[in-house]
């Protein structure tokens, strides 16, 4: 197993830091709501790409039935999701 607890076949949320990042409490609120709404208690794994190896990141996204990502370059990882899965892109406003 991975030292970072990579769980194949779970939904994922990619955390983003910086000026345009969604607030961390927004991630946690969304994660908690998804756990309730998703069928069969599908786990939602939030991860920060800055602390995981590329291999672990690809393992997470390539097995996920659902992905949630902030907009921007970080979302490029989602290109490695399986065909036919769902992706939710969180758009932040600079207003």
């Amino acid at each position: 197993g991975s030292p970072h607890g990579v769980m194949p076949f779970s939904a994922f949320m990619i955390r983003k830091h910086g000026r345009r990042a969604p607030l961390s409490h927004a991630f946690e609120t969304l994660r908690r709501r998804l756990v309730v709404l998703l069928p069969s208690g599908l786990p939602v794994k939030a991860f920060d790409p800055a602390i995981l190896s590329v291999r672990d990141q690809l393992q997470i996204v390539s097995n996920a039935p659902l992905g949630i990502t902030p907009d921007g370059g970080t979302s490029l990882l989602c290109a490695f999701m399986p065909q036919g899965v769902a992706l939710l892109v969180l758009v932040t406003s600079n207003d």
Side-chain angles (χ1 to χ4, degrees), residues 16-57:
K16 179 179 178 180
H17 303 282
R19 182 174 54 86
R20 293 185 55 229
L23 299 175
S24 58
H25 73 273
F27 277 115
E28 184 55 28
T29 299
L30 182 58
R31 188 195 64 76
R32 279 195 320 268
R33 288 183 180 166
L34 284 172
V35 168
V36 172
L37 296 174
L38 292 174
S40 305
L42 180 70
V44 180
K45 167 123 177 111
F47 74 94
D48 182 345
I51 63 171
L52 289 181
S53 70
V54 171
R55 182 183 200 152
D56 282 349
Q57 293 175 48

Side-chain angles (χ1 to χ4, degrees), residues 5-92:
V6 173
M7 298 184 312
F9 308 113
S10 63
F12 68 84
M13 295 178 65
I14 299 176
R15 293 190 179 271
K16 179 179 178 180
H17 303 282
R19 182 174 54 86
R20 293 185 55 229
L23 299 175
S24 58
H25 73 273
F27 277 115
E28 184 55 28
T29 299
L30 182 58
R31 188 195 64 76
R32 279 195 320 268
R33 288 183 180 166
L34 284 172
V35 168
V36 172
L37 296 174
L38 292 174
S40 305
L42 180 70
V44 180
K45 167 123 177 111
F47 74 94
D48 182 345
I51 63 171
L52 289 181
S53 70
V54 171
R55 182 183 200 152
D56 282 349
Q57 293 175 48
L58 290 175
Q59 183 180 359
I60 291 169
V61 302
S62 67
N63 290 303
L66 170 66
I68 303 153
T69 181
D71 60 347
T74 304
S75 64
L76 178 63
L77 235 117
C78 300
F80 297 96
M81 292 178 70
Q83 188 173 4
V85 299
L87 177 63
L88 176 62
V89 179
L90 305 174
V91 179
T92 54

